Amino acid sequence: MERIAETGSDNSLAGESTPARERGARRRRWIRRTAVGLLLLLLLPLLSALTALRIAYMGDPADGTHSRGRDALWLGHAWVDGRKKDADVTALARRLRDTGIRDLYVHSGPLEHDGTLPESVHPRARWFIDAVHDRLPGVRVQAFLGDVVATESDEGMRLADPATRSAVLRSTRRILDIGYDGVHLDLEPLHSGDRNHLRLLDALRRETRSRDALLSVAAHQIDPLPGLHTLRGGLTGHPKWWSQEFFGQVARRVDQIAVMSYDTAQPLESTYGGYVAQQTSLALEVTPPSTDLLMGLPFYWENDVSHWGHAETVPAAVRGVRLGLSRTDADRARFGVALYIDYTATEENWRAYEEDWVSGCSAC
């Protein structure tokens, strides 16, 4: 009897706990389903975007979408600080001969935060300019000048300060006096719609035109979706992209605009190439015919959240450039690619550039 009583007591307790267990199970199922639903809500836009980019990478580039002989190469600081010698220039000339490279952006700064430029940072600039003009007739040497802009921290150049903009103009005058064929400006991070940047470009353009020199800029990527820079800027403080309108405003103020079409966080070659095709089309739509538009090629390898080396390859970038050019303005003359950067370039990078882009170039 005692055992029966105990058993009966256990059954009674079990009966009382069954509804509670069922409610707990239902709650867990609801939580799992809700989590899966939220994950899908987050993933679907991303998967849709990646699918769209893969589709953009499909198709065949139009015939003739090769180098127009207006390409550029970013060069490191060693060419003007004394580390490079005559033999290095000879090797560079051998490398660039019969390619589409017309402009060299040689790092000759950086600018100080107040816009000044110490003479000590480019003691061999005149030597390098003369050596290039001697060994590569027709190739132009531009002073690559840049600085961090105080848009996302307290450190950096403040373009809102008229004295700083005036100092950048004086630095430009002085460096053009050395004999450079132009100035290539790279200020980052530069937020879309920065009116002070446009004021600076207006002043620089007046100066370069008066000297028959070039003004070029390194440009941020364009919003893949309208207003995306505003959304990202509100969420992270780093907008990353420019609006297409602002890109056009910059392009109208310079002789050359080179899109930094790398560090895209794309996970696959196909999505990266589709992204470059999209960027090429967006840039072509707002760059005036009088301005050289150059799309950047990643001549370097990194693996991090912003740049996956297995995805951001030169072949994928070139194919994307050719597809964007084909779809938007296949016959555009003032167009090229810009290679970033000489000191990390591999033979594989150069071979892809020469075989996929330079091959078939009648102007090279």
Side-chain angles (χ1 to χ4, degrees):
M1 294 291 296
E2 183 177 353
R3 292 181 58 144
I4 294 173
E6 288 175 355
T7 303
S9 175
D10 288 345
N11 288 339
S12 174
L13 289 172
E16 290 176 358
S17 63
T18 296
R21 286 201 300 270
E22 290 178 350
R23 286 195 299 272
R26 286 196 298 269
R27 187 179 300 111
R28 287 191 293 273
R29 286 196 297 270
W30 180 85
I31 291 172
R32 284 196 298 269
R33 289 170 181 168
T34 301
V36 170
L38 290 173
L39 182 61
L40 287 175
L41 284 174
L42 293 173
L43 287 179
L44 279 175
L46 175 61
L47 292 174
S48 298
L50 293 176
T51 300
L53 292 178
R54 293 196 68 168
I55 292 172
Y57 195 59
M58 298 170 64
D60 296 318
D63 291 339
T65 50
H66 295 283
S67 178
R68 280 86 164 105
R70 291 178 174 271
D71 303 331
L73 171 64
W74 277 286
L75 295 175
H77 200 78
W79 294 97
V80 296
D81 69 3
R83 282 176 284 170
K84 295 291 188 178
K85 309 301 179 185
D86 284 330
D88 298 304
V89 179
T90 299
L92 178 66
R94 188 182 306 116
R95 164 65 76 187
L96 300 186
R97 196 169 289 118
D98 300 323
T99 69
I101 303 295
R102 187 185 184 189
D103 287 283
L104 301 177
Y105 305 142
V106 58
H107 190 266
S108 306
L111 293 163
E112 298 292 329
H113 292 341
D114 62 2
T116 58
L117 181 64
E119 293 185 23
S120 59
V121 299
H122 46 255
R124 295 272 282 168
R126 182 73 251 185
W127 164 82
F128 179 65
I129 296 166
D130 291 342
V132 169
H133 289 167
D134 178 60
R135 292 169 175 80
L136 288 167
V139 172
R140 303 175 298 196
V141 183
Q142 299 190 45
F144 170 15
L145 303 177
D147 191 23
V148 175
V149 184
T151 51
E152 298 173 13
S153 72
D154 293 333
E155 291 296 319
M157 182 180 291
R158 300 183 182 279
L159 293 177
D161 182 4
T164 297
R165 298 198 303 272
S166 296
V168 174
L169 180 58
R170 289 193 299 273
S171 296
T172 299
R173 288 173 179 151
R174 192 180 61 73
I175 208 158
L176 289 176
D177 287 341
I178 295 173
Y180 283 97
D181 299 300
V183 171
H184 178 75
L185 198 61
D186 178 19
L187 301 176
E188 304 179 50
L190 190 65
H191 290 185
S192 183
D194 192 321
R195 304 302 303 178
N196 293 306
H197 179 56
L198 299 181
R199 292 186 182 97
L200 174 61
L201 292 180
D202 286 337
L204 294 176
R205 186 69 181 278
R206 287 191 293 270
E207 182 65 28
T208 55
R209 277 186 167 175
S210 72
R211 295 167 173 259
D212 197 26
L214 297 164
L215 175 61
S216 62
V217 293
H220 289 35
Q221 298 156 29
I222 301 172
D223 277 338
L225 296 172
L228 195 57
H229 71 280
T230 302
L231 175 62
R232 175 166 171 147
L235 293 174
T236 68
H238 175 55
K240 181 179 175 66
W241 298 284
W242 286 353
S243 71
Q244 191 182 35
E245 179 185 11
F246 184 68
F247 186 97
Q249 291 172 341
V250 173
R252 289 192 292 273
R253 288 169 164 82
V254 297
D255 300 297
Q256 296 178 330
I257 185 165
V259 185
M260 295 180 286
S261 41
Y262 35 77
D263 294 343
T264 65
Q266 291 301 318
L268 303 169
E269 273 192 296
S270 58
T271 60
Y272 173 61
Y275 183 87
V276 173
Q278 179 197 57
Q279 288 291 309
T280 302
S281 292
L282 290 170
L284 281 167
E285 289 171 357
V286 292
T287 302
S290 58
T291 300
D292 285 347
L293 171 62
L294 308 177
M295 302 302 297
L297 302 185
F299 269 43
Y300 63 99
W301 174 277
E302 285 181 3
N303 262 328
D304 55 39
V305 294
S306 66
H307 180 106
W308 298 106
H310 66 272
E312 295 199 17
T313 66
V314 175
V318 170
R319 177 173 167 77
V321 167
R322 294 187 64 204
L323 286 168
L325 184 62
S326 301
R327 294 165 183 160
T328 312
D329 192 357
D331 297 323
R332 183 184 174 98
R334 302 185 73 99
F335 185 87
V337 296
L339 323 179
Y340 186 86
I341 189 169
D342 72 303
Y343 55 81
T344 57
T346 65
E347 288 299 320
E348 184 180 4
N349 296 151
W350 281 108
R351 184 166 56 252
Y353 162 69
E354 291 164 0
E355 293 178 357
D356 298 348
W357 178 246
V358 178
S359 178
C361 170
S362 60
C364 300

